Amino acid sequence: MSNLAVLPILLPLLAGIFVAFIHKKTSIVRTISKLIAIVNLLVVGWVFFQVQQEGSIVLEVGSWSAPFGIVLVGDLLAMTLVLTTNIIAVACVFFAPQSLSDKEESFYFYSFFFILISGVSGAFLTGDLFNLFVFFEVLLMASYGLIVLGNGKAQLRESIKYVLINLFSSMLFVTTIAFLYSVVGTVNMAQVAQRVQEVEQQGVLTTIAILFFFVFATKAAVFPLYYWLPRPYISPNPVVSALFGALLTKVGVYSILRTFTLIFNQEVPLTHTLFIYLAAFTMIFGVVGALSTNNIKLIVAYNIIPAVGFMLMGIGIFTEVSISGTIYYLVHDMIIKGVLFLLVGATAYVAGTSDLRKMGGLIHHYPVLGWLMFIASLVLAGIPPFSGFIGKLQLIRGGLGQEEIMIVIVSLISSLLILFSMMRIFIRGYWGEKMDIPIPERKKKGSRMAWPAAGLLTLSVLLGVGAELFFPTIESIAQYLMDPEIYIDSVLKE
């Protein structure tokens, strides 16, 4: 047992509480928040290294042995995602002062920010389903505070939709956990996985599995449950949009990945075949949404949806190769969505509009922003040798290996359309005739906005061109997920 597993949850939670008491001292809170974010990243990086070297860390809270007490499981999958989360958090905390007004910063932004990071980290680390629900609620409560920050009419309107859809899915989540408990008598993931193999009520368990998928698919914005996502994600401040786009849907994808590799892997021909068809529709409708709008923020928001389709494709194919593709693509997409939301936020600020029809020639005044947008678009679309290509290559290899030709063709076409949708921002927004000279203060702030995004983008590029350094870790995670007994043994110590 090791207390290291609780640090990624505890440190940001305590930070969020602390800065709430001094929220009016904006400059001090800003400095402290940057330092805490960096320290938390270093701590998480150290914990990740320990897990990589010595294996999973299991913490039995209060010394109550599993499955009777609360368990935190810091395995390599969880720590990889927690590390990625904190890298994005550092970029966002440096971007925030350039994006938020002093009033918005002082209105508990940093408290909600740290509580969101704590909730996301807890969702990745928890070892039982009920606490997965609890950490979902923690991150959602923080997101409710962030989405209305600024008090604009659009934010209030979209926040109602956001709260209602998440309230419904949360009610269904806790109800489904109760159904599962009535069948297997536990909520500890390792023991649930063990008992699902023994219980003869496979029909009931399959129904419960579909209900869990419905809950997580709502969070992840899988077709046809994606309709709520785009506008609520672009209505708040760009730094909040970056946090939402990079992290929130990925917690839903992670939940599907974890539960359907560890627990609900008995009826693969039924459940996972369904995933493949839903993945295809998710890709198609997401890309159509991105092509149908001239709002640069909406273009990026809609591109969250086909990315979820790619990840679901790997889970549906359900081979070691495809699962490794899903994990690689998950990490890649967390980073690149953070980059893109920061970049389009900066672009909309310097242009004074988010409407492509009203901008052009920005690259003459903002060449750094322009070329960052160009590279980020290539990374998102999966152009070799960037990180999106590595994940998609594994997914396509997995699909061809299982003769899932339909989903492979859809994924290739979707990739081309994603590239086209993003190139519209660069060609119509940055290329073209030189516009009027920008306001000096706006130009200065726009340049400062570029650097946090540039740091994240550099990491994303390294994830692609240095794939031989990262891919062995991803492969070992995929092998680990395809053998649930390893997780069960590490938690129950059998």
Side-chain angles (χ1 to χ4, degrees):
M1 187 171 75
S2 173
N3 291 323
L4 291 177
V6 78
L7 291 180
I9 304 170
L10 189 61
L11 291 180
L13 181 62
L14 294 176
I17 295 170
F18 173 70
V19 298
F21 287 103
I22 55 172
H23 67 99
K24 292 185 178 180
K25 300 178 181 180
T26 307
S27 59
I28 296 174
V29 171
R30 189 183 295 159
T31 303
I32 290 173
S33 297
K34 290 176 181 177
L35 290 174
I36 292 173
I38 292 170
V39 168
N40 197 45
L41 175 60
L42 294 174
V43 170
V44 169
W46 181 63
V47 177
F48 172 82
F49 178 76
Q50 294 296 314
V51 171
Q52 196 173 35
Q53 296 298 311
E54 300 177 11
S56 299
I57 296 172
V58 179
L59 172 61
E60 296 169 337
V61 179
S63 296
W64 285 84
S65 60
F68 305 107
I70 295 171
V71 176
L72 298 177
V73 183
D75 60 10
L76 199 52
L77 171 62
M79 289 312 305
T80 298
L81 299 181
V82 171
L83 180 62
T84 308
T85 296
N86 281 276
I87 291 169
I88 294 163
V90 170
C92 287
V93 83
F94 277 88
F95 185 89
Q98 318 304 327
S99 179
L100 296 161
S101 65
D102 289 344
K103 183 178 180 181
E104 288 172 328
E105 280 188 280
S106 67
F107 205 69
Y108 301 101
F109 166 77
Y110 293 102
S111 291
F112 290 131
F113 167 82
F114 282 118
I115 293 171
L116 180 74
I117 300 303
S118 178
V120 171
S121 300
F124 291 144
L125 288 166
T126 186
D128 71 78
L129 289 168
F130 184 77
N131 279 294
L132 179 60
F133 164 75
V134 170
F135 283 115
F136 261 114
E137 295 309 298
V138 171
L139 69 89
L140 284 172
M141 285 188 290
S143 72
Y144 297 155
L146 290 170
I147 198 172
V148 298
L149 195 66
N151 200 32
K153 289 183 179 179
Q155 287 175 263
L156 293 174
R157 181 181 65 249
E158 297 302 329
S159 66
I160 293 172
K161 184 196 305 181
Y162 179 80
V163 170
L164 288 176
I165 193 71
N166 281 292
L167 179 63
F168 170 76
S169 64
S170 295
M171 290 169 60
L172 182 60
F173 192 2
V174 74
T175 303
T176 307
I177 291 172
F179 287 156
L180 181 64
Y181 183 82
S182 70
V183 176
V184 298
T186 183
V187 291
N188 180 279
M189 289 186 189
Q191 194 174 42
V192 170
Q194 193 177 59
R195 292 189 176 179
V196 162
Q197 298 172 13
E198 301 168 355
V199 173
E200 296 181 358
Q201 303 177 55
Q202 292 302 323
V204 174
L205 288 171
T206 302
T207 303
I208 292 172
I210 296 299
L211 287 174
F212 270 115
F213 175 74
F214 183 85
V215 171
F216 299 142
T218 304
K219 309 287 188 184
V222 175
F223 174 88
L225 305 169
Y226 69 90
Y227 61 90
W228 63 272
L229 181 144
R231 292 194 178 276
Y233 271 40
I234 68 163
S235 61
N237 191 276
V239 68
V240 178
S241 296
L243 287 168
F244 284 13
L247 302 179
L248 297 195
T249 53
K250 309 313 179 294
V251 179
V253 172
Y254 162 80
S255 300
I256 296 171
L257 177 62
R258 177 70 81 183
T259 54
F260 282 89
T261 54
L262 176 64
I263 300 171
F264 302 115
N265 52 17
Q266 309 298 311
E267 297 290 336
V268 171
L270 173 61
T271 55
H272 292 61
T273 302
L274 173 65
F275 296 169
I276 291 174
Y277 284 101
L278 290 178
F281 283 113
T282 303
M283 292 179 200
I284 293 167
F285 280 84
V287 170
V288 168
L291 293 171
S292 67
T293 180
N294 288 303
N295 185 318
I296 59 173
K297 294 181 180 180
L298 269 180
I299 291 172
V300 175
Y302 270 111
N303 271 311
I304 293 173
I305 299 164
V308 171
F310 280 106
M311 294 175 235
L312 188 60
M313 168 187 171
I315 301 171
I317 294 169
F318 203 60
T319 64
E320 190 176 301
V321 173
S322 70
I323 293 295
S324 68
T326 290
I327 299 165
Y328 210 97
Y329 200 85
L330 175 57
V331 174
H332 143 81
D333 198 65
M334 290 173 73
I335 297 171
I336 198 61
K337 285 303 189 303
V339 172
L340 285 168
F341 273 107
L342 295 181
L343 287 177
V344 294
T347 301
Y349 173 79
V350 299
T353 179
S354 57
D355 191 337
L356 267 178
R357 294 168 295 187
K358 299 177 181 178
M359 62 176 73
L362 290 174
I363 200 164
H364 298 287
H365 300 295
Y366 306 98
V368 174
L369 272 178
W371 291 115
L372 287 176
M373 179 63 72
F374 178 77
I375 296 170
S377 299
L378 298 182
V379 174
L380 178 68
I383 302 300
F386 298 118
S387 55
F389 171 74
I390 308 299
K392 288 179 182 177
L393 178 63
Q394 287 297 99
L395 292 171
I396 291 170
R397 283 184 59 207
L400 293 176
Q402 296 299 109
E403 298 184 351
E404 296 287 353
I405 306 301
M406 179 273 294
I407 191 66
V408 170
I409 293 172
V410 171
S411 67
L412 291 172
I413 295 172
S414 297
S415 297
L416 290 174
L417 295 177
I418 288 169
L419 178 62
F420 178 67
S421 71
M422 292 304 304
M423 281 294 106
R424 290 169 62 217
I425 299 177
F426 180 75
I427 294 170
R428 296 177 62 178
Y430 280 92
W431 219 243
E433 296 181 6
K434 192 173 184 178
M435 298 180 67
D436 296 334
I437 298 174
I439 301 169
E441 176 59 30
R442 181 167 288 184
K443 184 170 184 177
K444 184 178 179 182
K445 185 175 282 191
S447 299
R448 290 200 298 264
M449 285 178 168
W451 294 114
L456 271 184
L457 183 59
T458 301
L459 178 59
S460 183
V461 171
L462 288 175
L463 194 63
V465 298
E468 67 276 6
L469 299 175
F470 303 104
F471 197 72
T473 300
I474 302 298
E475 277 190 315
S476 66
I477 296 173
Q479 292 167 4
Y480 165 79
L481 290 178
M482 294 300 289
D483 186 1
E485 293 300 325
I486 301 175
Y487 182 97
I488 294 170
D489 291 345
S490 66
V491 175
L492 300 181
K493 300 178 178 64
E494 295 183 353

